[in-house]
Amino acid sequence: MVDVGGKAATSREALASGRIRLEPGTLAAIRENTLAKGDVLAVARLAGIQAAKETSRLIPLCHPLRLDHVEVEVVPLARPASIRVEALARTRGPTGVEMEALTAVSVALLAVYDMVKAVDRSAEIGEIRLERKSGGRSGAWRRAGAAAGEQGAAPRRAPRVRR
């Protein structure tokens, strides 16, 4: 592990996103909450939050962090039929929370896949990426095209599961 003992604790934040593409009928079943395994959107949200908290146990050499805040937004989109996941992680510490945000997105999408695999073998996870980060010596970074109001921008309100 990298020694971060001498680094100053600063407020840090990271936003990550990803998507799972689905058949339109699968998306309809998710919206109608008719899949046998239950409420896909709620399970994905909880899986993402739990994953952020477990990141250092999942990723070798990743520092354990005290997370101050994690929010995961799970949004069904009609065109193309998909679910977009965004995860925002915050901490005050000597190292960033990018891995926590990315892990939250990845595991939330895997939870969706697990819940739909029996009815949609073509489900495809992709586009997992860091949208922005702030804090620390390197300062702020934002993916090009992630201006306020665009996909990849931080949620302006508390995220909620949309149906």
Side-chain angles (χ1 to χ4, degrees), residues 21-159:
R21 294 183 190 274
L22 305 163
E23 293 294 326
T26 305
L27 184 62
I30 290 169
R31 287 180 189 251
E32 295 162 10
N33 198 17
T34 58
L35 289 174
K37 283 196 165 186
D39 187 337
V40 173
L41 304 177
V43 169
R45 182 174 173 272
L46 291 174
I49 292 168
Q50 187 64 33
K53 294 166 43 175
E54 297 293 334
T55 300
S56 67
R57 292 173 29 116
L58 297 168
I59 308 295
L61 307 180
C62 190
H63 289 88
L65 299 180
R66 182 184 64 83
L67 293 172
D68 295 328
H69 181 75
V70 176
E71 57 187 80
V72 176
E73 185 172 56
V74 182
V75 182
L77 302 170
R79 289 189 187 95
S82 59
I83 294 178
R84 179 176 169 82
V85 175
E86 285 190 346
L88 180 70
R90 288 189 192 118
T91 192
R92 180 163 178 78
T95 190
V97 290
E98 296 94 310
M99 293 307 299
E100 286 71 14
L102 287 162
T103 300
V105 167
S106 299
V107 172
L109 292 168
L110 287 169
V112 173
Y113 188 93
D114 179 58
M115 295 184 77
V116 304
K117 67 185 181 216
V119 297
D120 189 349
R121 299 211 193 287
S122 69
E124 181 179 324
I125 294 172
E127 303 172 37
I128 298 169
R129 62 194 197 176
L130 182 66
E131 298 292 348
R132 65 175 173 79
K133 56 105 27 213
S134 63
R137 186 173 35 210
S138 64
W141 177 86
R142 181 179 296 271
R143 177 171 299 285
E150 294 182 20
Q151 282 189 339
R156 290 191 189 119
R157 67 203 155 6

